[in-house]
Amino acid sequence: MTADKVAGMARIAVIGAGMGAMAAAARLAVAGHRVAVYERTATYGGAVRRFERDGFSFDTGPGLLSLPAVHRDLFVKTGKEPLEACVELVQVDPSSHHVFADGTRVSLPNASRAGAVSALDEALGAGTGQRWGDFLVRARETWDRTRRPLLEEPLWPNWSVLAEREPYPSVPHKRLLRTRRAGTLAEVGAWELRDPRLTALLESHALAYGLDPRVTPASAAVLPYMEHAFGVWYVRGGVRELARAVYERCVARRVEFVFGAEVARVLEKDGRAAGVELADGTVAEADFVVTGVAPGAVSTGTAAPGAGEVPPQRGLPSRLTVLLALRGGRPEGAAHRTVVHAADREGELESLFGEHPGLPGHPTVTVLRPDDTGSVPGPGHEAIALTAPVPAQSGQGYDEQAERMITTAERAIPDLRARLLWHEVRTPDDIAEATGAEGGAVPAPALAAADGRLLHPSNSTGVPNLFAVGGWSHPGGGLPHAGMSGALVAGLIVEGPEFRGSQ
Ligand SMILES: Cc1cc2nc3c(=O)[nH]c(=O)nc-3n(C[C@H](O)[C@H](O)[C@H](O)COP(=O)(O)OP(=O)(O)OC[C@H]3O[C@@H](n4cnc5c(N)ncnc54)[C@H](O)[C@@H]3O)c2cc1C
C-alpha cells in the first residue's frame, strides 16, 4: 500500500453490521473510501435487536445508553444532522431504583452526587451517602487516569503498564497488623463502603457487564462513575432506533450493505489483508479489511494474537432476557430501571463464575420499564424487560429461570403476575444467533489492572491492513466502547499507525 493509496480512495471490506463495525464504516466512507459491509444475518445492529408481538415491542439487547457523547461525535463527524435530529434521547431519572436483599429501597437521581448522597443517607442510614460520595470522588480519579488509554486512544504498545498498575486510589485499610488497599470491587465494598447494600449497589454495576466483583479490579469503579457523571439515556422507540439511525447514516454516506453474507475467511496477499471470502465461495477484494465479529467467527489466518499481544477476553457470561407483556398501564413515577438484588450473593456469584457454571437460584434481576407509548398497543398496557446474567453456553432450564426472574421482579412490582398477558424468553442461543459469539457471550469494556485479563486485543492486528472493531477488540464491549472502537479503526486507517486518538 503506497502512501498515495492510503490518502486516496481505498476499497474497505467490513465484516459484520454490529454497532462498532457500522461506526467505523460511516467514518471511513466520509473519509472518501468505498466501504462494503458483509453481514451474515438479514439485518444490521448485531446484539441491538427488537422483539415485537401484538403491538408490544422490546429491546432484546441493551435497553439503555451511557456516554451519549460517543454517538454524538459519530453523527457530527459523518454528516449535517446531529444525533438528536435522528433519534430522541431521554435522560432516565432516577437513573436507577434499587431493591436490596433486606427489603431496603433507594432511588438514585440521575447525574447528581448531592442527590445520591442524600437519597442514600435517607434510605440506608446516616453516613452511607457520604461513603458513596467519597467513593465517587475516587472513581472520578480512576476515570481521569484511564479515560484516554481505555476509551479514546488505540491500545498502547506498552499495554502491560495498564495491566499492572491499579489506577483506583484505594483508601489504606488496617487489617490485623497490616495495612492493605482494596484491589477488587468486592474489597472496595467491604473495606471502603462498609455496608452490604452499598456493596450490592457497587457490585451490580460489574454484574450488569457480566463481571465477577470478587476478582474484578477496583478500576471497574469507572462503570458506576460513567453513569453517574454522564447520565443514563433511553432512546425513544428503543435502543434499536440508535442502530437504525447509525445504519441510515452509513447508507446516506454510500456504505454498501450485503446481508445474508457470511464471511468465511479473510484473504491475504503478500502478507497483507486483501479481501474476504464468503461462505458461498464469493470473493470480494479489498485494500483493507475491518472485522467486527467475535473471536473465532471468521478465520483470520495469521491474525491470531501472538506473543506479547493481548488475547481476547474469555469466560464472560451471556444474558437471559424475559420480555413481559402486561395489561394495565405503567404507573406514573415508576422507575425506568430497577435492580432487584440477589438474596444470596455468594450463591449467585458461585453459580455464574464458579468451576461448574449454572443458573443462579436467586439471580440479581434488572427490570426495565420504558415510559414509551410506542412500545405498547395502547394506554392500558405496559412492556417490561427483565435481564440477568447467565453462563455463556447453550443450556437448559431457561423457562424455570425465567419464572425465578419473574418471582424476583415481583419484589419490585407486586402485581406483575396478575397483570401478565404473555412472556417471551430470550436465551444465550438467541444472542449467539444475533452476534455470532460462541455461547452468546457478551464482551465487557476494557478495564485496567487484573494482569490485563480485561483488556482487549488492539485494533491493529498482526496482519497489515486487517483491523478489528467492536466489542471484542479495544476498548471493548458496550455501546459507547464499541462506538469508540469505530472511531479508532477509522483513525488508524485514515491517518495510519501514528494515529493517537481523536478526542
Ligand atoms: C442482552 C444484551 C444486553 C446488553 N446490555 C448492554 C448494556 O446494558 N450496555 C451496553 O453498553 N452494552 C450492552 N450489551 C453489549 C452491546 O450490545 C454490544 O457490546 C455492542 O452492541 C457492540 O456490538 P459489536 O460492535 O461488538 O457487534 P455485535 O453486536 O457483536 O455484532 C456482530 C455482527 O457481526 C455479524 N457476524 C458475525 N460473524 C459474521 C461472519 N462470519 N460474517 C458476517 N457477519 C458476521 C453478526 O451477525 C452481527 O451482526 C448487551 C448485549 C446483549 C446481547
Side-chain angles (χ1 to χ4, degrees):
M1 177 76 29
T2 63
D4 215 30
K5 194 123 188 220
V6 174
M9 189 196 75
R11 293 165 305 168
I12 302 179
V14 177
I15 308 174
M19 295 300 281
M22 288 198 294
R27 287 173 181 269
L28 287 164
V30 167
H33 300 302
R34 205 164 80 212
V35 185
V37 177
Y38 298 91
E39 164 57 47
R40 78 190 222 295
T41 71
T43 187
Y44 55 81
V48 184
R49 299 283 185 106
R50 180 186 285 157
F51 179 85
E52 292 176 334
R53 184 194 291 168
D54 301 342
F56 290 89
S57 79
F58 308 84
D59 279 316
T60 59
L64 293 170
L65 177 67
S66 56
L67 274 183
V70 171
H71 286 91
R72 286 202 185 104
D73 184 64
L74 171 65
F75 278 73
V76 166
K77 300 278 167 59
T78 57
K80 286 200 194 85
E81 284 197 311
L83 176 63
E84 267 88 351
C86 305
V87 295
E88 187 188 342
L89 292 182
V90 187
Q91 286 233 37
V92 171
D93 199 3
S95 74
S96 55
H97 182 74
H98 291 263
V99 179
F100 296 106
D102 68 355
T104 321
R105 290 156 186 266
V106 68
S107 284
L108 296 177
N110 190 49
S112 160
R113 182 171 174 274
V117 167
S118 64
L120 288 166
D121 270 345
E122 199 171 307
L124 310 188
T128 52
Q130 185 66 43
R131 292 209 291 284
W132 183 255
D134 291 348
F135 160 74
L136 285 179
V137 173
R138 294 189 292 279
R140 184 200 168 119
E141 206 169 320
T142 315
W143 168 256
D144 289 341
R145 288 175 183 172
T146 56
R147 178 177 58 89
R148 290 192 65 83
L150 292 183
L151 189 65
E152 296 170 357
E153 296 176 355
L155 186 68
W156 292 350
N158 61 339
W159 56 267
S160 56
V161 176
L162 301 167
E164 288 153 13
R165 207 177 286 159
E166 171 53 75
Y168 177 77
S170 53
V171 179
H173 165 76
K174 278 222 173 3
R175 193 151 170 256
L176 301 176
L177 291 176
R178 289 197 298 151
T179 300
R180 303 196 57 187
R181 285 174 173 276
T184 64
L185 273 193
E187 286 169 355
V188 170
W191 301 348
E192 300 181 5
L193 299 178
R194 302 193 307 278
D195 181 293
R197 296 157 303 179
L198 286 182
T199 300
L201 168 61
L202 172 65
E203 293 188 350
S204 65
H205 286 273
L207 214 49
Y209 284 99
L211 298 170
D212 179 355
R214 299 170 304 180
V215 294
T216 297
S219 72
V222 296
L223 301 177
Y225 179 76
M226 268 177 356
E227 286 197 358
H228 164 74
F230 309 107
V232 178
W233 302 77
Y234 176 65
V235 184
R236 178 85 53 213
V239 173
R240 173 76 178 163
E241 284 297 291
L242 178 67
R244 178 196 52 78
V246 175
Y247 168 72
E248 286 177 359
R249 178 56 55 93
C250 284
V251 171
R253 300 279 80 89
R254 299 186 194 285
V255 173
E256 181 196 352
F257 282 82
V258 187
F259 290 108
E262 177 169 353
V263 175
R265 66 188 183 102
V266 174
L267 301 174
E268 282 181 36
K269 200 168 158 194
D270 304 327
R272 295 171 173 276
V276 294
E277 184 180 318
L278 305 187
D280 68 4
T282 314
V283 164
E285 291 182 356
D287 304 306
F288 294 92
V289 177
V290 176
T291 171
V293 305
V298 169
S299 166
T300 47
T302 48
E309 290 178 35
V310 178
Q313 281 187 356
R314 293 257 175 245
L316 286 165
S318 184
R319 307 284 184 279
L320 192 66
T321 302
V322 188
L323 311 173
L324 307 171
L326 305 180
R327 70 172 76 83
R330 181 182 188 275
E332 191 69 32
H336 189 121
R337 176 177 54 174
T338 299
V339 181
V340 186
H341 293 266
D344 173 13
R345 168 188 178 271
E346 273 307 314
E348 178 181 36
L349 299 180
E350 233 2 75
S351 295
L352 288 172
F353 305 108
E355 217 169 301
H356 305 290
L359 300 172
H362 296 280
T364 294
V365 175
T366 301
V367 182
L368 292 184
R369 309 180 76 174
D371 184 6
D372 192 339
T373 51
S375 67
V376 287
H381 297 91
E382 187 176 7
I384 294 183
L386 314 179
T387 315
V390 292
Q393 58 197 24
S394 190
Q396 288 174 348
Y398 293 128
D399 288 335
E400 295 78 3
Q401 189 67 5
E403 287 302 321
R404 280 186 209 114
M405 288 167 64
I406 295 173
T407 302
T408 305
E410 283 183 294
R411 288 175 49 211
I413 310 170
D415 61 355
L416 193 56
R417 264 183 215 278
R419 293 173 54 203
L420 195 56
L421 291 169
W422 50 262
H423 75 273
E424 167 77 17
V425 182
R426 310 293 294 180
T427 70
D429 287 334
D430 295 313
I431 296 174
E433 172 56 32
T435 65
E438 203 183 326
V442 177
L447 294 170
D451 298 326
R453 218 174 6 92
L454 295 169
L455 295 176
H456 288 268
S458 64
N459 307 106
S460 321
T461 69
V463 178
N465 296 4
L466 175 64
F467 294 83
V469 76
W472 295 99
S473 57
H474 179 77
L479 292 167
H481 289 72
M484 275 311 295
S485 76
L488 296 177
V489 164
L492 287 164
I493 292 179
V494 173
E495 293 182 28
E498 291 74 35
F499 174 71
R500 282 278 139 258
S502 57
Q503 301 286 308

